[in-house]
Amino acid sequence: MSLAETAASVSCAFNSIPIVDIGHASTPEERVALAQQIRDACMKVGFFYVSNHGIPQETIDKVFSAMKAYFSLPLEIKMKLYHKEVANFKGYAPVLDSNIDPANRGDLHEGFEIGWEELVPKENDETRLNDGAMAGANVWPLEPAEFREACLNYYHAAIGVGKVLFRLFALALDLPETYFDDKTRNPAAIMRTLHYPPQTGLQDDRIVGIGAHTDFECFTVLWQEPGIQALQVLNSEKQWINAPPIPGTLVINIGDQLARWTNDVFRSTVHRAINRSAVRRYSIPLFFGTDYDVQIEPMSSCVSAERPPKYEPIAAGDYVQKRLKEMYHQSATFS
C-alpha cells in the first residue's frame, strides 16, 4: 500500500502522545524499526516524544538558568533588542507582542529568538549566503554574560537531534536515508527561549500562552520545563489532549513545511499552550527546517489520483517569512 493510500485509512482520534526511544539507531535494522514507529506517529498524531535524545542535562540546565536570568531583567533593558527593529525577527518579543490565532487577543508569553550561528565565529564564513528572505545576524544581550554561550550550546545540540530525525523521517517516507542531507547543509533552525507568566485573576480564553496554531518549519524540537502542564494537542474529534513534560524527553511535532512536502501524509497538528499552573513556565522550541533556498512541493510518493497535490511549490525561506509576518502583523520589508 502506498503512503497516500495508507494515510487515507488512518484514524487521528488519538488520546495520548507516543514515545519513541531514538537511543538505539546504530544499525540499519534498528533505524528502519524506529522509522516505522515515527511514520505511525506522524500519520496518526503529528506529535511524539523522543527519549535518549543525547542532549546532556548540563547543557539543558545552563540554558534554563540563563534564560530565567534574562527574562527577569527590566523590560526597558530587554526592549533594546526588540525584534521588530532587527532583521527577520531575531531578538526580544515582549508579552502579547504576537497573536498567532486571529480569534484571540494576544499570546501571553515573552521570547528571545536566534538563528544559526557558530559558537566560535569562522573567518569568511559563507555558509549562510543562501538564506535569502530569512537572512539576518543574531543579536545578543549584554547580560546575563553566559546567555549567548548557553543558548548556542543548546541550539547546536538540538540541531544534532534534528539531523538524526531527518534521516529517520526519510526512511519513514520510503526514501533513501540520505534524502534530506543535501537539503539541510545549512539547516534553517530558528530557536526561541520562551517565558510564560502565570495566568492569574479573571481568565480570558482569548488570551492564552500561545493560541491554537501549527508550526512553520519541517518539525519542532521542544524542551518543556519539568512539572508544569501547558501544551495541548488537538485530535480529529476536536478534543484537546495534554502533552505534559516527561523527564528525559523532548517533544517533536511535524510542521507545515513537512506536511506540504508529504501532501499532508504527515500531519501538522494544531496545538496551543495554556499556563494555568499559577507559576512561571519556560520552554525552548527549535523549529527545524531545510536550507532556505530549497523548494517545498509534494513528493511523488505522497500523491495519487485520489490524493492530488494540495500545495504549490514555494521556497522554504519565503514560506517561513510569510508566516512570521502574519503572526506579528508585520508589513515591513526586511534586509
Side-chain angles (χ1 to χ4, degrees):
M1 185 180 294
S2 71
L3 288 169
E5 291 170 334
T6 301
S9 62
V10 165
S11 170
C12 300
F14 58 89
N15 56 21
S16 63
I17 313 299
I19 302 174
V20 179
D21 183 346
I22 62 170
H24 302 286
S26 57
T27 68
E29 293 76 17
E30 287 175 335
R31 291 193 292 276
V32 167
L34 282 177
Q36 183 59 58
Q37 293 180 56
I38 288 172
R39 176 193 291 185
D40 289 346
C42 292
M43 286 186 169
K44 296 176 181 177
V45 185
F47 272 73
F48 57 97
Y49 296 91
V50 292
S51 59
N52 289 312
H53 48 71
I55 300 181
Q57 187 60 45
E58 181 182 15
T59 301
I60 295 172
D61 292 342
K62 285 183 176 180
V63 72
F64 186 27
S65 175
M67 63 192 282
K68 286 194 292 184
Y70 173 74
F71 288 123
S72 71
L73 295 173
L75 179 62
E76 59 268 24
I77 292 178
K78 292 180 286 190
M79 286 297 288
K80 291 179 180 179
L81 296 177
Y82 184 41
H83 73 100
K84 290 186 179 178
E85 298 173 1
V86 179
N88 281 312
F89 308 97
K90 307 293 185 1
Y92 175 71
V95 171
L96 299 179
D97 188 65
S98 66
N99 187 33
I100 201 164
D101 181 351
N104 287 353
R105 296 174 56 194
D107 296 326
L108 194 67
H109 69 263
E110 59 179 336
F112 194 93
E113 181 167 311
I114 66 170
W116 178 274
E117 182 179 327
E118 297 285 355
L119 184 60
V120 179
K122 295 178 181 178
E123 191 172 350
N124 300 319
D125 188 2
E126 298 183 352
T127 58
R128 312 308 301 182
L129 292 181
N130 293 322
D131 281 359
M134 285 300 293
N138 290 328
V139 293
W140 296 103
L142 296 177
E143 54 180 319
E146 67 276 11
F147 187 75
R148 176 183 178 273
E149 181 177 355
C151 284
L152 286 177
N153 279 335
Y154 178 86
Y155 177 92
H156 287 285
I159 281 178
V161 176
K163 288 184 174 180
V164 170
L165 287 170
F166 252 130
R167 289 200 159 199
L168 293 172
F169 285 135
L171 291 173
L173 291 164
D174 296 331
L175 297 167
E177 190 172 351
T178 57
Y179 178 82
F180 292 108
D181 286 8
D182 64 349
K183 302 167 184 63
T184 53
R185 292 195 176 102
N186 303 304
I190 299 170
M191 187 178 97
R192 293 193 188 120
T193 52
L194 297 176
H195 166 225
Y196 294 82
Q199 290 187 247
T200 57
L202 292 174
Q203 293 183 355
D204 184 342
D205 286 338
R206 293 179 297 162
I207 299 178
V208 298
I210 186 168
H213 67 286
T214 55
D215 290 345
F216 312 155
E217 300 264 21
C218 287
F219 58 92
T220 302
V221 178
L222 174 69
W223 174 82
Q224 304 185 85
E225 181 180 1
I228 302 176
Q229 165 59 40
L231 179 62
Q232 296 180 315
V233 183
L234 190 66
N235 71 13
S236 60
E237 302 300 309
K238 305 302 180 185
Q239 299 168 324
W240 288 105
I241 306 301
N242 287 342
I246 297 177
T249 70
L250 300 167
V251 177
I252 310 299
N253 66 277
I254 301 303
D256 295 343
Q257 286 188 354
L258 195 51
R260 291 174 72 102
W261 227 338
T262 64
N263 208 32
D264 287 339
V265 167
F266 281 8
R267 293 168 46 81
S268 181
T269 306
V270 172
H271 54 285
R272 66 184 183 183
I274 302 179
N275 182 19
R276 298 269 163 80
S277 66
V279 297
R280 301 177 185 276
R281 174 189 182 252
Y282 299 87
S283 69
I284 310 173
L286 183 135
F287 307 98
F288 204 109
T290 65
D291 299 353
Y292 282 129
D293 60 342
V294 170
Q295 290 290 309
I296 306 294
E297 57 184 312
M299 300 171 178
S300 59
S301 61
C302 299
V303 172
S304 67
E306 294 74 26
R307 196 183 190 92
K310 298 182 179 183
Y311 304 104
E312 294 295 323
I314 188 170
D318 291 341
Y319 181 76
V320 171
Q321 192 191 59
K322 171 180 175 290
R323 291 292 301 275
L324 284 169
K325 286 181 179 180
E326 291 170 354
M327 183 171 74
Y328 290 113
H329 304 293
Q330 177 63 271
S331 59
T333 300
F334 295 90
S335 59

